[in-house]
Amino acid sequence: MESLTSNLSIQISDRFFVKNPDSSEIGQRIIEWSIILIEEIGFEAFTFKKLAIQIGTTEATIYRYFESKHRLLLYLTCWYWSWMEYRLLFAITNVESAEERLNRSIGLLTEVIEEDSNFSYVNEVKLNNIVIAEASKSYLNKDVDKENKEGAYLNYKKLVQRISEIILEINPNYKYPHMLVSTVIEGAHLQRYFAEHLPGLTDTNSKEDSVAKFFKQMVFKSIE
Amino acid sequence: MESLTSNLSIQISDRFFVKNPDSSEIGQRIIEWSIILIEEIGFEAFTFKKLAIQIGTTEATIYRYFESKHRLLLYLTCWYWSWMEYRLLFAITNVESAEERLNRSIGLLTEVIEEDSNFSYVNEVKLNNIVIAEASKSYLNKDVDKENKEGAYLNYKKLVQRISEIILEINPNYKYPHMLVSTVIEGAHLQRYFAEHLPGLTDTNSKEDSVAKFFKQMVFKSIE
DNA sequence: GCAATAATGATAGTATTACTATTATTATTG
DNA sequence: CAATAATAATAGTAATACTATCATTATTGC
């Protein structure tokens, strides 16, 4: 994506942090390096102590920004879905055909992520890898209902809702738009993960990006 | 499913355990109660200590059966996929039409699970809930490549392979059979979880089981 | 029936984790 | 320049995921 002239920043709801990491240099380093570290060693092995050493601060300081590493993960995934929504808006505004809007939306959700230079201290490629491998852990736990009530998954739901509406524009009688969209999002993540680690569960072809093709075909055939 | 006269037992490869839990009463209680406990409190909060207290033994004894709680989870998911394969064979043998075999296979993977009285100390309904909420954690971690080499996911892959072959029987030109099947399996789990905890991501209808209908439609439209 | 062996129980110990708490020091702001 | 806020340094805690040791109890082979 082309770099924009103005400086952009994704605003994240204060439900995820104690002190806004966007408001200080040390906070920005927390975000920048947590993405690098979590992608490298995985969320289980990631600790605030390791992060503190990496950015030359102390555990106590990080705890003043995030009350737990789980909350930090929620912050990062929320950032990711907000970023996705912003990219979605750019991709589909002024496109008249609903089919083309849907085509672009599914593309956005299933194609390989590239870095976006508009957001300086976030590496979107690494963040995408984190979302692929770790985001499901943010809702696959016993706090899911409490956190859902707090609004932890609102951005994700909003994105699903938006694309569901395009589907209903194309076929108002299609009964499962939300199922279809959430299956595509989670499915695309999994297929990328399988391609890397469990190729027997997918159909990879190094020459072409079959993930996006598979899901586009699946969506358009399902709703016709 | 009807109860069979003979006593069945699912044989699990010895790569998952130190001592076969099927070989002793205490081992069987480990399996029985680990399923009950993990379903109730979640895999994160589950510990060998809690399990030991529950079944009136000690941590040390449980460690003599499983080298870690992660290995126990691999054992349980492996059991689940073996059980699924056994049910699949029952459901499709002697069915001539490939379409009908596929229809039954997808049904098996997406419909609500009912208890199977053939396997005394395993509660399949609870185990299904564990697979839905926890199984992805067994491969979404940094040991995935090592464990894959050890054969930890063979049963899962075998099931995907089997159903992929039915798809290719129906349409030999379909390019993504494995992708489609693994998307259905993981997608069905997720949709059941969403229906319970994040209904905004799905399309539930208490009157009918829309999960199975959605995925059947998706599969048959995708491959035609 | 009894010795040999295996399985289990009881108990202790360790490194790490995910925090909380306290106090001193340094930056920032009015 | 005083007041306030942010950060650093350090210590401490309960829980976790194990490992280790040794005594006790079952099981099996002869």
Side-chain angles (χ1 to χ4, degrees):
Chain A
M1 183 179 276
E2 222 176 303
S3 190
L4 304 168
T5 43
S6 62
N7 268 324
L8 290 171
S9 116
I10 303 249
Q11 294 304 313
I12 301 296
S13 155
D14 61 10
R15 60 171 72 91
F16 299 107
F17 51 74
V18 184
K19 177 178 158 72
N20 193 343
D22 205 33
S23 71
S24 75
E25 201 236 316
I26 208 165
Q28 296 180 9
R29 269 190 293 150
I30 288 172
I31 301 305
E32 182 180 1
W33 282 92
S34 66
I35 292 169
I36 295 167
L37 253 183
I38 293 172
E39 199 229 12
E40 195 184 321
I41 63 177
F43 187 66
E44 267 70 56
F46 169 81
T47 68
F48 279 0
K49 187 159 209 174
K50 287 175 188 166
L51 176 59
I53 291 167
Q54 193 64 244
I55 64 179
T57 182
T58 60
E59 267 183 287
T61 298
I62 296 170
Y63 275 103
R64 255 176 241 111
Y65 286 86
F66 291 98
E67 83 182 54
S68 67
K69 70 172 190 170
H70 180 73
R71 287 262 138 176
L72 171 57
L73 182 61
L74 285 178
Y75 178 95
L76 293 177
T77 53
C78 177
W79 195 99
Y80 180 83
W81 295 120
S82 298
W83 177 66
M84 272 289 185
E85 199 189 1
Y86 140 85
R87 295 203 310 150
L88 185 73
L89 286 177
F90 253 81
I92 67 174
T93 24
N94 307 319
V95 176
E96 223 171 285
S97 150
E99 277 84 3
E100 181 53 21
R101 268 181 282 134
L102 182 58
N103 186 49
R104 291 187 187 197
S105 302
I106 303 300
L108 214 74
L109 296 174
T110 57
E111 281 160 16
V112 171
I113 298 288
E114 278 164 43
E115 249 202 272
D116 182 343
S117 56
N118 287 303
F119 305 94
S120 52
Y121 58 89
V122 173
N123 181 323
E124 291 82 10
V125 175
K126 287 180 193 288
L127 181 55
N128 176 241
N129 287 331
I130 293 174
V131 171
I132 288 173
E134 321 285 358
S136 65
K137 297 170 191 169
S138 80
Y139 56 74
L140 289 177
N141 71 58
K142 291 287 169 181
D143 296 324
V144 59
D145 298 326
K146 207 191 72 207
E147 281 170 350
N148 186 34
K149 266 187 202 153
E150 281 174 41
Y153 314 107
L154 278 174
N155 288 63
Y156 186 22
K157 289 191 223 170
K158 225 162 85 189
L159 195 71
V160 170
Q161 182 57 32
R162 245 181 224 286
I163 303 174
S164 296
E165 279 160 16
I166 304 175
I167 290 174
L168 290 176
E169 244 182 272
I170 298 171
N171 177 0
N173 296 315
Y174 184 65
K175 286 167 86 176
Y176 319 112
H178 301 87
M179 270 192 172
L180 187 57
V181 175
S182 59
T183 297
V184 168
I185 293 177
E186 301 287 341
H189 288 165
L190 268 182
Q191 293 303 326
R192 296 238 170 260
Y193 190 85
F194 289 162
E196 186 114 353
H197 301 288
L198 301 163
L201 297 174
T202 189
D203 308 88
T204 32
N205 184 334
S206 46
K207 273 173 271 170
E208 53 171 3
D209 189 359
S210 47
V211 175
K213 280 190 184 164
F214 163 73
F215 282 107
K216 280 185 181 175
Q217 190 190 83
M218 194 189 99
V219 167
F220 281 99
K221 288 208 170 194
S222 287
I223 66 171
E224 81 191 1
Chain B
M1 181 178 277
E2 222 177 303
S3 190
L4 304 168
T5 43
S6 62
N7 268 324
L8 290 171
S9 117
I10 302 250
Q11 294 304 313
I12 302 294
S13 153
D14 61 11
R15 61 171 71 90
F16 299 106
F17 52 73
V18 184
K19 176 178 156 73
N20 193 343
D22 205 33
S23 71
S24 75
E25 201 235 316
I26 208 165
Q28 296 181 8
R29 271 190 292 150
I30 288 173
I31 300 307
E32 181 180 2
W33 283 92
S34 66
I35 292 170
I36 295 167
L37 255 182
I38 293 173
E39 200 230 11
E40 195 184 323
I41 64 178
F43 187 65
E44 266 71 56
F46 168 82
T47 67
F48 279 1
K49 188 159 209 172
K50 287 175 188 166
L51 177 58
I53 290 167
Q54 194 62 246
I55 65 178
T57 182
T58 59
E59 267 184 288
T61 297
I62 296 170
Y63 274 104
R64 259 175 234 113
Y65 286 86
F66 291 99
E67 83 181 53
S68 68
K69 70 173 189 169
H70 180 73
R71 287 262 138 178
L72 171 58
L73 182 61
L74 285 178
Y75 178 95
L76 293 177
T77 52
C78 177
W79 194 99
Y80 180 84
W81 294 121
S82 297
W83 177 66
M84 273 290 186
E85 200 189 0
Y86 140 83
R87 293 205 311 151
L88 185 74
L89 286 177
F90 253 81
I92 67 174
T93 24
N94 306 320
V95 176
E96 223 172 287
S97 150
E99 278 83 2
E100 182 54 21
R101 267 180 282 134
L102 182 58
N103 185 50
R104 292 187 186 196
S105 302
I106 303 300
L108 213 75
L109 296 174
T110 57
E111 281 159 17
V112 172
I113 296 289
E114 279 165 43
E115 249 202 271
D116 182 343
S117 57
N118 288 303
F119 304 94
S120 52
Y121 58 89
V122 173
N123 182 322
E124 291 82 9
V125 175
K126 287 180 193 286
L127 182 54
N128 176 242
N129 287 330
I130 292 174
V131 171
I132 287 173
E134 321 285 358
S136 65
K137 297 170 191 169
S138 79
Y139 55 74
L140 289 176
N141 71 58
K142 290 287 170 181
D143 295 325
V144 59
D145 298 325
K146 205 191 73 206
E147 281 169 349
N148 185 34
K149 266 188 203 153
E150 280 174 41
Y153 314 108
L154 278 175
N155 288 62
Y156 187 22
K157 288 191 223 169
K158 224 162 87 188
L159 194 70
V160 170
Q161 181 56 32
R162 245 181 225 286
I163 303 174
S164 296
E165 279 161 15
I166 304 176
I167 291 175
L168 290 176
E169 245 183 90
I170 298 170
N171 178 359
N173 296 315
Y174 185 65
K175 284 168 87 179
Y176 318 111
H178 300 85
M179 270 192 170
L180 187 58
V181 175
S182 60
T183 298
V184 167
I185 292 177
E186 301 287 340
H189 289 163
L190 268 182
Q191 293 303 325
R192 298 239 169 257
Y193 190 86
F194 289 162
E196 186 115 351
H197 301 287
L198 301 164
L201 297 175
T202 188
D203 307 270
T204 33
N205 184 333
S206 47
K207 272 173 272 170
E208 54 169 5
D209 189 359
S210 48
V211 176
K213 280 190 184 164
F214 164 73
F215 282 107
K216 280 184 180 176
Q217 191 190 81
M218 194 189 100
V219 167
F220 282 98
K221 287 208 168 192
S222 287
I223 67 172
E224 84 190 359

